[in-house]
């Protein structure tokens, strides 16, 4: 039976812990774990903890952590994904897959063709939702560190702030990723559902970005990060 693995948004250490209410409800009421079940917990620090549930009640779950060890190592390629802001499940998919593929930072980008407009209250809710998407992806894929998800930012501002050895913007008419020398850090810009305008691509180039393509077919906004990050990890990371 697969060992259940959960993220705990609080520092962990060996010994007994009472789990936060949300995780307690999920473990006890949804998954119906019982006292004596083994669990694996992580807190985003890069460390993992093995332990056993010692109390599972309606509102309280306690665990005793008995073993601590280093978690899965992060990719040697530090990836900052600038992902065009898209609607609902498409953005969730992009964040989930970027997390699974090792992106350390994800920035939702607001561009000229972006169809999503978030006000302050909605932004806070979406930020919390996106973080939970990333957490769930880490729980599933074995990552021990949660990627940083930045608040949505205008394209021009992000282009000025992005720092990396290699900065790429996807474009159907360009050289392939393999034409670039191996970097240690990568900023990767992907457009929204309507794509980037020609002016935005030129703006990116003027701030140090190189156009790059992923084959002859035009990819959807939620497909592009999967293909792009997989190729980048294969060329320069830990694939």
């Amino acid at each position: 039976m697969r060992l259940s693995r959960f993220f705990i948004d609080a520092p962990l250490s060996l010994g007994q812990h009472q789990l936060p209410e949300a995780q307690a409800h999920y473990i006890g009421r949804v998954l119906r774990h019982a006292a004596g079940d083994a669990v694996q917990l992580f807190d985003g620090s890069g460390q993992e903890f093995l332990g056993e549930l010692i109390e599972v009640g309606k509102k309280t779950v306690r665990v005793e952590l008995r073993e601590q060890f280093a978690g899965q190592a992060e990719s040697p390629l530090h990836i900052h994904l600038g992902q065009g802001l898209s609607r609902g499940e498409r953005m969730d998919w992009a964040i989930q897959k970027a997390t699974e593929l090792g992106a350390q930072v994800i920035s939702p980008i607001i561009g000229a063709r972006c169809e999503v407009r978030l006000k302050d209250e909605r932004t806070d809710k979406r930020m919390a939702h996106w973080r939970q998407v990333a957490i769930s992806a880490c729980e599933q894929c074995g990552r021990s560190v949660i990627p940083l998800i930045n608040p949505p930012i205008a394209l021009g501002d992000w282009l000025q702030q992005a720092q990396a050895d290699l900065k790429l913007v996807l474009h159907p008419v360009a050289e392939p990723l393999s034409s670039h020398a191996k970097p240690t850090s990568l900023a990767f810009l992907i457009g929204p559902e309507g794509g980037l305008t020609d002016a935005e691509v030129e703006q990116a180039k003027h701030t140090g970005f190189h156009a790059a393509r992923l084959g002859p077919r035009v990819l959807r906004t939620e497909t592009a990060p999967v293909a792009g990050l997989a190729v980048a990890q294969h060329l320069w990371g830990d694939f």
Side-chain angles (χ1 to χ4, degrees):
M1 183 177 180
R2 182 178 177 181
L3 183 64
S4 294
R5 180 173 178 270
F6 305 101
F7 171 73
I8 303 299
D9 196 7
L12 295 173
S13 60
L14 297 178
Q16 293 189 14
H17 295 265
Q18 181 170 320
L19 299 187
E21 184 177 348
Q23 283 84 1
H25 173 80
Y26 184 66
I27 291 171
R29 308 295 290 175
V30 178
L31 297 181
R32 297 190 178 279
H33 279 299
D37 287 351
V39 292
Q40 184 169 328
L41 307 182
F42 67 108
D43 59 7
S45 67
Q47 295 294 303
E48 300 272 337
F49 297 83
L50 286 174
E52 180 181 314
L53 299 176
I54 58 175
E55 178 186 354
V56 180
K58 291 184 178 180
K59 296 183 177 181
T60 301
V61 171
R62 295 187 63 82
V63 61
E64 183 172 356
L65 300 180
R66 298 168 179 166
E67 182 181 346
Q68 177 180 347
F69 57 96
Q72 184 183 96
E74 288 288 279
S75 172
L77 177 65
H78 186 280
I79 299 173
H80 184 168
L81 173 66
Q83 175 69 40
L85 187 59
S86 56
R87 292 171 291 184
E89 292 183 355
R90 290 180 178 176
M91 195 67 187
D92 291 355
W93 172 274
I95 289 173
Q96 180 188 67
K97 301 311 173 189
T99 299
E100 292 178 30
L101 288 163
Q104 283 92 350
V105 183
I106 303 170
S107 293
I109 303 296
I110 302 171
R113 291 175 176 165
C114 178
E115 298 180 359
V116 180
R117 294 290 184 267
L118 297 177
K119 296 182 179 180
D120 290 344
E121 183 178 346
R122 286 193 63 199
T123 297
D124 292 342
K125 290 181 179 178
R126 296 309 297 173
M127 289 284 295
H129 172 74
W130 291 332
R131 186 168 190 269
Q132 188 54 55
V133 169
I135 287 170
S136 296
C138 286
E139 289 177 334
Q140 180 274 321
C141 74
R143 278 186 77 173
S144 298
V145 177
I146 310 298
L148 172 65
I149 302 179
N150 288 320
I153 184 172
L155 174 61
D157 294 335
W158 185 77
L159 291 174
Q160 293 296 329
Q161 296 174 15
Q163 300 292 325
D165 291 342
L166 177 62
K167 298 189 284 189
L168 299 177
V169 53
L170 284 190
H171 194 273
V173 182
E175 295 299 316
L177 267 66
S178 58
S179 65
H180 296 278
K182 181 178 180 178
T184 58
S185 58
L186 172 67
F188 208 167
L189 173 60
I190 293 172
E193 293 167 80
L196 297 169
T197 66
D198 290 341
E200 288 174 327
V201 173
E202 289 304 312
Q203 184 182 12
K205 290 180 180 179
H206 288 155
T207 55
F209 280 73
H210 301 275
R213 65 179 173 86
L214 292 171
R217 290 165 291 279
V218 177
L219 303 180
R220 298 176 71 97
T221 184
E222 69 271 26
T223 309
V226 179
L229 298 190
V231 172
Q233 291 284 28
H234 173 70
L235 290 172
W236 309 310
D238 59 1
F239 275 23

